[in-house]
Amino acid sequence: MTEATDLAERAGDRDPRIGLRAVSALRRLVEQLEAVQVRSARQQGWSWQEIAAELGVSRQAVHKKYGRQ
């Protein structure tokens, strides 16, 4: 997790360029991690409702985002 730790540290940098780039990279990393976990949950038989509840979103939102993958 050193990449995430490094990015989190840089996100707090006083230089906005460094901080904003780190925030953007963290956002991409979180999206990738979420997709991996949603796939894992679906492979284990989780319903869209169960996944949505854990992510704090609606069933429709999670299905729209990941339903065709």
Side-chain angles (χ1 to χ4, degrees):
M1 277 310 228
T2 58
E3 179 186 1
T5 304
D6 292 344
L7 288 171
E9 187 175 310
R10 283 187 268 158
D13 198 283
R14 290 183 183 265
D15 182 339
R17 278 191 179 81
I18 293 170
L20 290 169
R21 286 180 189 146
V23 167
S24 179
L26 282 166
R27 194 176 288 131
R28 287 189 304 273
L29 180 59
V30 166
E31 287 294 320
Q32 292 169 356
L33 292 170
E34 182 179 278
V36 166
Q37 291 301 327
V38 168
R39 261 192 315 276
S40 175
R42 290 297 291 166
Q43 288 171 349
Q44 293 179 39
W46 285 39
S47 70
W48 291 114
Q49 184 62 45
E50 291 172 302
I51 295 167
E54 295 303 319
L55 292 175
V57 299
S58 71
R59 177 187 59 80
Q60 293 87 349
V62 76
H63 185 265
K64 181 179 179 181
K65 188 171 183 179
Y66 297 105
R68 298 192 192 267
Q69 294 182 358

